Amino acid sequence: MNVVVKTDLPLKIFKKGKVRDVYEVDDKLLLVATDRISAFDHVLHEPIPNKGICLTQISRFWFEYFRDIVPNHMISADVSKYPDELQKFGDILNGRSMLVKKADVFPIECIVRGYLSGSGWRSYQKTGEICGIKLPPGLKESQKLDEPLFTPSTKAESGHDVNISFEKMKELIGDEYAERLKELSLKMYNRGTEYACEKGIIIADTKFEFGKIDDEIIVVDELLTPDSSRFWPADLYEPGRSQPSFDKQYVRDYLVSTGWDKNSSPPHLSGDVILETQKKYQEAYERITGEKFMF
Protein backbone atom coordinates (compact mmCIF):
# COMPACT_ATOMS: atom_id res chain seq x y z
CA MET A 1 0.00 0.00 0.00
CA ASN A 2 1.39 3.37 -1.04
CA VAL A 3 0.40 6.15 1.38
CA VAL A 4 1.92 9.64 1.33
CA VAL A 5 0.30 12.14 3.68
CA LYS A 6 2.91 14.89 3.48
CA THR A 7 6.23 15.56 1.80
CA ASP A 8 9.27 17.40 3.06
CA LEU A 9 11.59 17.42 0.07
CA PRO A 10 14.75 19.57 0.36
CA LEU A 11 13.48 21.91 -2.35
CA LYS A 12 12.06 25.41 -2.35
CA ILE A 13 8.36 25.25 -1.53
CA PHE A 14 6.18 27.04 -4.07
CA LYS A 15 2.85 26.22 -2.44
CA LYS A 16 1.28 23.63 -0.18
CA GLY A 17 -2.43 23.14 -0.78
CA LYS A 18 -5.06 20.95 0.84
CA VAL A 19 -4.00 17.97 -1.25
CA ARG A 20 -0.87 18.82 -3.26
CA ASP A 21 2.62 19.95 -2.35
CA VAL A 22 4.27 22.09 -5.03
CA TYR A 23 8.02 22.70 -5.22
CA GLU A 24 10.24 24.85 -7.40
CA VAL A 25 12.86 23.04 -9.50
CA ASP A 26 14.88 25.68 -11.35
CA ASP A 27 12.37 27.34 -13.70
CA LYS A 28 9.89 24.47 -13.36
CA LEU A 29 7.42 23.23 -10.76
CA LEU A 30 7.15 19.77 -9.21
CA LEU A 31 3.56 18.86 -8.33
CA VAL A 32 3.19 16.08 -5.76
CA ALA A 33 -0.33 14.76 -5.15
CA THR A 34 -0.51 13.38 -1.61
CA ASP A 35 -3.20 11.05 -0.31
CA ARG A 36 -4.76 13.77 1.81
CA ILE A 37 -8.45 14.28 1.14
CA SER A 38 -10.44 17.43 1.77
CA ALA A 39 -14.16 18.06 2.07
CA PHE A 40 -16.13 21.17 2.97
CA ASP A 41 -12.86 23.16 3.11
CA HIS A 42 -11.34 20.84 5.73
CA VAL A 43 -8.47 18.37 5.29
CA LEU A 44 -9.69 15.14 6.84
CA HIS A 45 -7.76 13.21 9.47
CA GLU A 46 -7.31 10.04 7.43
CA PRO A 47 -5.75 9.76 3.96
CA ILE A 48 -7.06 7.65 1.07
CA PRO A 49 -4.27 5.26 -0.01
CA ASN A 50 -3.10 5.71 -3.64
CA LYS A 51 -5.51 8.61 -4.22
CA GLY A 52 -2.67 10.93 -5.29
CA ILE A 53 -1.44 8.39 -7.82
CA CYS A 54 -4.91 7.97 -9.32
CA LEU A 55 -5.39 11.74 -9.68
CA THR A 56 -1.96 12.30 -11.23
CA GLN A 57 -2.29 9.47 -13.71
CA ILE A 58 -5.80 10.50 -14.78
CA SER A 59 -4.55 14.05 -15.40
CA ARG A 60 -1.57 12.68 -17.34
CA PHE A 61 -3.96 10.71 -19.56
CA TRP A 62 -6.15 13.74 -20.30
CA PHE A 63 -3.22 16.10 -20.92
CA GLU A 64 -2.07 13.75 -23.67
CA TYR A 65 -5.62 13.17 -24.94
CA PHE A 66 -6.31 16.89 -25.42
CA ARG A 67 -2.93 17.89 -26.91
CA ASP A 68 -4.51 18.59 -30.30
CA ILE A 69 -6.97 21.05 -28.72
CA VAL A 70 -4.77 22.97 -26.27
CA PRO A 71 -1.18 22.68 -24.99
CA ASN A 72 -0.64 21.87 -21.32
CA HIS A 73 1.95 22.45 -18.62
CA MET A 74 3.14 18.82 -18.29
CA ILE A 75 6.81 18.18 -19.02
CA SER A 76 6.86 14.63 -17.66
CA ALA A 77 5.19 12.34 -15.13
CA ASP A 78 8.03 9.81 -15.43
CA VAL A 79 10.44 10.13 -12.49
CA SER A 80 13.26 8.54 -14.51
CA LYS A 81 13.14 11.60 -16.78
CA TYR A 82 13.29 14.14 -13.95
CA PRO A 83 16.48 16.10 -13.12
CA ASP A 84 19.16 14.05 -11.36
CA GLU A 85 18.61 15.66 -7.97
CA LEU A 86 15.06 14.27 -7.85
CA GLN A 87 15.93 10.66 -8.66
CA LYS A 88 16.66 9.74 -5.02
CA PHE A 89 13.08 10.64 -4.05
CA GLY A 90 11.60 8.14 -6.49
CA ASP A 91 9.88 6.11 -3.75
CA ILE A 92 7.83 9.19 -2.84
CA LEU A 93 7.41 10.69 -6.31
CA ASN A 94 6.72 7.62 -8.43
CA GLY A 95 3.22 7.77 -9.91
CA ARG A 96 2.03 10.75 -7.89
CA SER A 97 4.18 13.58 -9.24
CA MET A 98 4.45 15.68 -12.36
CA LEU A 99 7.15 18.07 -13.52
CA VAL A 100 5.48 21.06 -15.16
CA LYS A 101 6.20 24.41 -16.77
CA LYS A 102 5.55 27.57 -14.80
CA ALA A 103 2.70 29.59 -16.24
CA ASP A 104 0.95 32.85 -15.54
CA VAL A 105 -2.30 31.36 -14.25
CA PHE A 106 -5.64 33.07 -14.89
CA PRO A 107 -7.46 33.82 -11.58
CA ILE A 108 -10.55 31.98 -12.81
CA GLU A 109 -12.06 28.53 -12.24
CA CYS A 110 -13.62 27.58 -15.59
CA ILE A 111 -16.59 25.46 -14.50
CA VAL A 112 -18.72 23.51 -16.96
CA ARG A 113 -21.98 21.91 -15.83
CA GLY A 114 -23.66 19.29 -18.00
CA TYR A 115 -26.09 18.03 -15.36
CA LEU A 116 -28.15 19.64 -12.61
CA SER A 117 -26.38 18.66 -9.40
CA GLY A 118 -24.64 19.93 -6.29
CA SER A 119 -24.67 23.68 -5.74
CA GLY A 120 -26.27 24.12 -9.18
CA TRP A 121 -29.26 22.01 -8.14
CA ARG A 122 -29.59 23.89 -4.84
CA SER A 123 -29.48 27.22 -6.66
CA TYR A 124 -32.04 26.06 -9.23
CA GLN A 125 -34.44 24.97 -6.47
CA LYS A 126 -34.28 28.42 -4.89
CA THR A 127 -34.19 30.71 -7.93
CA GLY A 128 -34.71 28.68 -11.09
CA GLU A 129 -31.23 29.80 -12.14
CA ILE A 130 -27.60 28.67 -12.01
CA CYS A 131 -25.13 31.54 -11.65
CA GLY A 132 -27.69 33.94 -13.12
CA ILE A 133 -28.53 31.67 -16.08
CA LYS A 134 -32.27 31.04 -16.24
CA LEU A 135 -33.31 27.41 -16.73
CA PRO A 136 -36.67 25.89 -17.74
CA PRO A 137 -39.05 25.06 -14.88
CA GLY A 138 -39.68 21.49 -13.74
CA LEU A 139 -36.16 20.08 -14.06
CA LYS A 140 -35.19 17.18 -11.79
CA GLU A 141 -32.09 16.69 -9.67
CA SER A 142 -29.24 15.18 -11.74
CA GLN A 143 -31.09 15.85 -15.01
CA LYS A 144 -28.96 16.33 -18.10
CA LEU A 145 -29.08 19.91 -19.34
CA ASP A 146 -29.95 20.66 -22.98
CA GLU A 147 -26.53 22.31 -23.38
CA PRO A 148 -23.60 22.40 -20.94
CA LEU A 149 -23.39 25.66 -18.97
CA PHE A 150 -20.19 27.68 -18.54
CA THR A 151 -20.29 29.16 -15.01
CA PRO A 152 -16.93 30.70 -14.01
CA SER A 153 -15.84 31.51 -10.48
CA THR A 154 -12.95 33.31 -8.86
CA LYS A 155 -10.04 31.30 -7.47
CA ALA A 156 -9.93 31.75 -3.71
CA GLU A 157 -6.67 31.07 -1.87
CA SER A 158 -8.72 30.06 1.17
CA GLY A 159 -12.40 29.48 1.80
CA HIS A 160 -14.96 29.25 -0.99
CA ASP A 161 -14.59 30.31 -4.60
CA VAL A 162 -17.14 32.93 -5.65
CA ASN A 163 -19.36 32.42 -8.69
CA ILE A 164 -19.18 35.29 -11.18
CA SER A 165 -20.94 36.18 -14.42
CA PHE A 166 -19.25 35.78 -17.77
CA GLU A 167 -19.35 39.58 -18.06
CA LYS A 168 -17.41 39.86 -14.79
CA MET A 169 -14.90 37.32 -16.10
CA LYS A 170 -14.39 39.56 -19.14
CA GLU A 171 -13.71 42.50 -16.84
CA LEU A 172 -11.13 40.50 -14.90
CA ILE A 173 -9.10 39.01 -17.76
CA GLY A 174 -10.30 40.76 -20.92
CA ASP A 175 -12.85 39.86 -23.57
CA GLU A 176 -10.51 37.91 -25.84
CA TYR A 177 -9.09 35.65 -23.13
CA ALA A 178 -12.53 35.12 -21.57
CA GLU A 179 -14.06 34.06 -24.87
CA ARG A 180 -11.16 31.71 -25.61
CA LEU A 181 -11.25 30.05 -22.18
CA LYS A 182 -14.99 29.53 -22.46
CA GLU A 183 -14.59 28.02 -25.92
CA LEU A 184 -11.80 25.69 -24.79
CA SER A 185 -13.66 24.65 -21.63
CA LEU A 186 -16.83 23.67 -23.49
CA LYS A 187 -14.88 21.91 -26.24
CA MET A 188 -12.83 19.87 -23.76
CA TYR A 189 -15.87 19.05 -21.63
CA ASN A 190 -17.89 17.86 -24.62
CA ARG A 191 -15.09 15.72 -25.99
CA GLY A 192 -14.07 14.41 -22.57
CA THR A 193 -17.61 13.43 -21.63
CA GLU A 194 -18.08 11.56 -24.90
CA TYR A 195 -14.94 9.53 -24.20
CA ALA A 196 -15.82 8.93 -20.54
CA CYS A 197 -19.33 7.80 -21.48
CA GLU A 198 -17.80 5.08 -23.65
CA LYS A 199 -16.03 3.91 -20.47
CA GLY A 200 -19.25 3.90 -18.43
CA ILE A 201 -18.67 7.20 -16.64
CA ILE A 202 -20.84 10.31 -16.74
CA ILE A 203 -18.87 13.50 -16.01
CA ALA A 204 -21.65 15.65 -14.62
CA ASP A 205 -19.53 18.76 -14.17
CA THR A 206 -15.91 19.80 -13.93
CA LYS A 207 -13.55 22.72 -13.53
CA PHE A 208 -10.63 23.67 -15.74
CA GLU A 209 -7.75 26.01 -15.00
CA PHE A 210 -5.70 27.82 -17.61
CA GLY A 211 -2.55 29.87 -17.74
CA LYS A 212 -0.38 31.43 -20.38
CA ILE A 213 3.27 31.20 -21.34
CA ASP A 214 4.48 33.89 -23.76
CA ASP A 215 0.84 34.70 -24.56
CA GLU A 216 0.05 31.08 -25.48
CA ILE A 217 -2.90 29.68 -23.51
CA ILE A 218 -2.26 26.32 -21.84
CA VAL A 219 -4.31 24.12 -19.54
CA VAL A 220 -2.79 23.66 -16.06
CA ASP A 221 -3.45 22.05 -12.68
CA GLU A 222 -5.43 18.79 -12.78
CA LEU A 223 -7.74 17.73 -15.56
CA LEU A 224 -11.08 15.86 -15.48
CA THR A 225 -10.24 13.98 -12.28
CA PRO A 226 -12.63 12.74 -9.57
CA ASP A 227 -11.44 15.65 -7.40
CA SER A 228 -12.12 18.36 -9.99
CA SER A 229 -15.25 16.76 -11.43
CA ARG A 230 -18.39 14.84 -10.54
CA PHE A 231 -18.03 11.27 -11.85
CA TRP A 232 -21.13 9.04 -11.95
CA PRO A 233 -21.43 5.38 -13.04
CA ALA A 234 -23.52 5.51 -16.22
CA ASP A 235 -25.24 2.17 -15.59
CA LEU A 236 -26.73 3.45 -12.31
CA TYR A 237 -27.76 6.89 -13.57
CA GLU A 238 -31.33 7.86 -12.74
CA PRO A 239 -32.57 11.48 -12.81
CA GLY A 240 -34.62 12.68 -9.85
CA ARG A 241 -32.14 11.80 -7.11
CA SER A 242 -28.51 12.22 -6.12
CA GLN A 243 -26.23 9.74 -7.89
CA PRO A 244 -23.68 7.21 -6.64
CA SER A 245 -20.24 8.45 -7.64
CA PHE A 246 -16.60 7.67 -8.32
CA ASP A 247 -15.52 10.89 -6.64
CA LYS A 248 -15.27 12.19 -3.09
CA GLN A 249 -19.01 12.86 -2.97
CA TYR A 250 -19.11 9.48 -1.21
CA VAL A 251 -17.00 10.94 1.59
CA ARG A 252 -19.05 14.15 1.67
CA ASP A 253 -22.24 12.11 2.03
CA TYR A 254 -20.70 10.13 4.87
CA LEU A 255 -19.65 13.30 6.68
CA VAL A 256 -23.13 14.80 6.30
CA SER A 257 -24.68 11.58 7.68
CA THR A 258 -22.72 12.04 10.92
CA GLY A 259 -24.39 15.38 11.63
CA TRP A 260 -21.08 17.23 11.49
CA ASP A 261 -21.50 21.02 11.57
CA LYS A 262 -18.72 21.57 8.95
CA ASN A 263 -17.05 24.12 11.22
CA SER A 264 -15.50 22.01 13.97
CA SER A 265 -12.83 19.34 13.49
CA PRO A 266 -14.18 16.79 10.99
CA PRO A 267 -15.24 13.28 12.06
CA HIS A 268 -12.82 10.41 11.55
CA LEU A 269 -13.38 8.15 8.55
CA SER A 270 -14.08 4.50 9.26
CA GLY A 271 -11.96 1.79 7.69
CA ASP A 272 -14.87 0.80 5.46
CA VAL A 273 -15.31 4.37 4.15
CA ILE A 274 -11.56 4.66 3.46
CA LEU A 275 -11.47 1.32 1.61
CA GLU A 276 -14.60 2.06 -0.43
CA THR A 277 -13.30 5.51 -1.40
CA GLN A 278 -9.94 4.01 -2.42
CA LYS A 279 -11.76 1.52 -4.64
CA LYS A 280 -13.74 4.31 -6.29
CA TYR A 281 -10.62 6.31 -7.18
CA GLN A 282 -8.86 3.23 -8.57
CA GLU A 283 -11.87 2.18 -10.61
CA ALA A 284 -12.11 5.68 -12.09
CA TYR A 285 -8.40 5.51 -12.99
CA GLU A 286 -8.74 2.09 -14.64
CA ARG A 287 -11.86 3.00 -16.61
CA ILE A 288 -10.52 6.31 -17.89
CA THR A 289 -6.97 5.22 -18.74
CA GLY A 290 -7.71 1.65 -19.73
CA GLU A 291 -4.73 0.61 -17.61
CA LYS A 292 -4.67 -1.81 -14.67
CA PHE A 293 -3.64 -0.11 -11.42
CA MET A 294 -0.11 -1.46 -10.87
CA PHE A 295 1.52 1.11 -8.59
Side-chain angles (χ1 to χ4, degrees):
M1 187 179 289
N2 188 330
V3 181
V4 173
V5 177
K6 65 176 182 177
T7 65
D8 290 300
L9 302 180
L11 302 168
K12 184 178 179 181
I13 296 170
F14 181 78
K15 179 183 178 183
K16 289 212 173 187
K18 293 189 183 80
V19 171
R20 285 186 304 179
D21 298 342
V22 185
Y23 297 90
E24 292 195 53
V25 181
D26 299 324
D27 60 341
K28 307 170 189 68
L29 296 177
L30 178 69
L31 310 183
V32 186
T34 72
D35 295 321
R36 299 191 296 266
I37 186 168
S38 68
F40 304 113
D41 293 323
H42 289 260
V43 176
L44 306 187
H45 300 289
E46 293 80 16
I48 304 299
N50 296 324
K51 170 178 173 281
I53 294 176
C54 292
L55 295 179
T56 300
Q57 296 304 314
I58 290 172
S59 285
R60 174 192 59 78
F61 171 85
W62 288 119
F63 282 138
E64 292 168 352
Y65 185 80
F66 288 119
R67 275 187 190 278
D68 63 323
I69 293 179
V70 59
N72 61 72
H73 68 168
M74 182 175 70
I75 297 169
S76 180
D78 181 349
V79 176
S80 69
K81 296 179 180 176
Y82 290 0
D84 290 344
E85 67 265 29
L86 300 180
Q87 299 295 324
K88 56 188 171 186
F89 307 115
D91 56 334
I92 296 171
L93 301 178
N94 187 43
R96 64 175 67 250
S97 67
M98 190 177 289
L99 196 65
V100 304
K101 302 169 188 171
K102 277 186 181 178
D104 182 12
V105 178
F106 291 101
I108 301 288
E109 301 272 10
C110 292
I111 299 166
V112 181
R113 304 170 189 267
Y115 292 74
L116 193 53
S117 186
S119 63
W121 167 241
R122 292 190 293 273
S123 175
Y124 174 76
Q125 286 180 294
K126 291 179 183 175
T127 66
E129 300 178 345
I130 298 181
C131 301
I133 302 171
K134 190 74 176 172
L135 295 177
L139 299 181
K140 299 178 181 179
E141 181 178 8
S142 304
Q143 186 167 337
K144 185 176 183 180
L145 301 171
D146 289 340
E147 294 289 339
L149 300 180
F150 181 73
T151 60
S153 72
T154 58
K155 279 169 55 70
E157 285 301 314
S158 61
H160 293 287
D161 298 335
V162 178
N163 292 329
I164 58 173
S165 67
F166 185 53
E167 293 307 312
K168 181 63 176 177
M169 179 178 170
K170 287 181 176 179
E171 288 178 24
L172 291 173
I173 66 171
D175 290 11
E176 187 176 338
Y177 283 130
E179 293 285 359
R180 182 62 176 147
L181 297 194
K182 178 180 180 179
E183 177 192 357
L184 286 170
S185 297
L186 290 168
K187 190 171 184 178
M188 292 167 70
Y189 177 78
N190 286 329
R191 182 165 155 189
T193 53
E194 283 181 16
Y195 173 87
C197 204
E198 294 171 2
K199 305 296 182 178
I201 293 176
I202 291 172
I203 303 179
D205 52 46
T206 194
K207 66 174 183 178
F208 299 108
E209 293 192 42
F210 296 92
K212 58 180 189 281
I213 298 177
D214 297 330
D215 272 345
E216 179 181 49
I217 292 175
I218 66 170
V219 62
V220 302
D221 200 61
E222 60 186 318
L223 191 54
L224 291 174
T225 73
D227 269 23
S228 66
S229 319
R230 222 178 289 267
F231 276 32
W232 297 337
D235 58 341
L236 299 177
Y237 172 64
E238 185 182 319
R241 59 169 173 81
S242 62
Q243 307 297 311
S245 67
F246 289 115
D247 55 54
K248 63 182 178 182
Q249 188 61 42
Y250 178 81
V251 172
R252 291 191 196 101
D253 291 344
Y254 168 78
L255 294 172
V256 168
S257 75
T258 68
W260 176 45
D261 63 8
K262 302 178 187 174
N263 293 314
S264 56
S265 180
H268 287 272
L269 302 180
S270 68
D272 287 346
V273 170
I274 292 169
L275 182 60
E276 190 62 28
T277 306
Q278 180 184 351
K279 286 179 181 176
K280 287 175 180 290
Y281 276 96
Q282 288 187 196
E283 185 175 354
Y285 160 82
E286 291 184 347
R287 287 203 190 194
I288 292 293
T289 67
E291 301 167 1
K292 187 74 178 166
F293 188 86
M294 301 292 288
F295 291 91

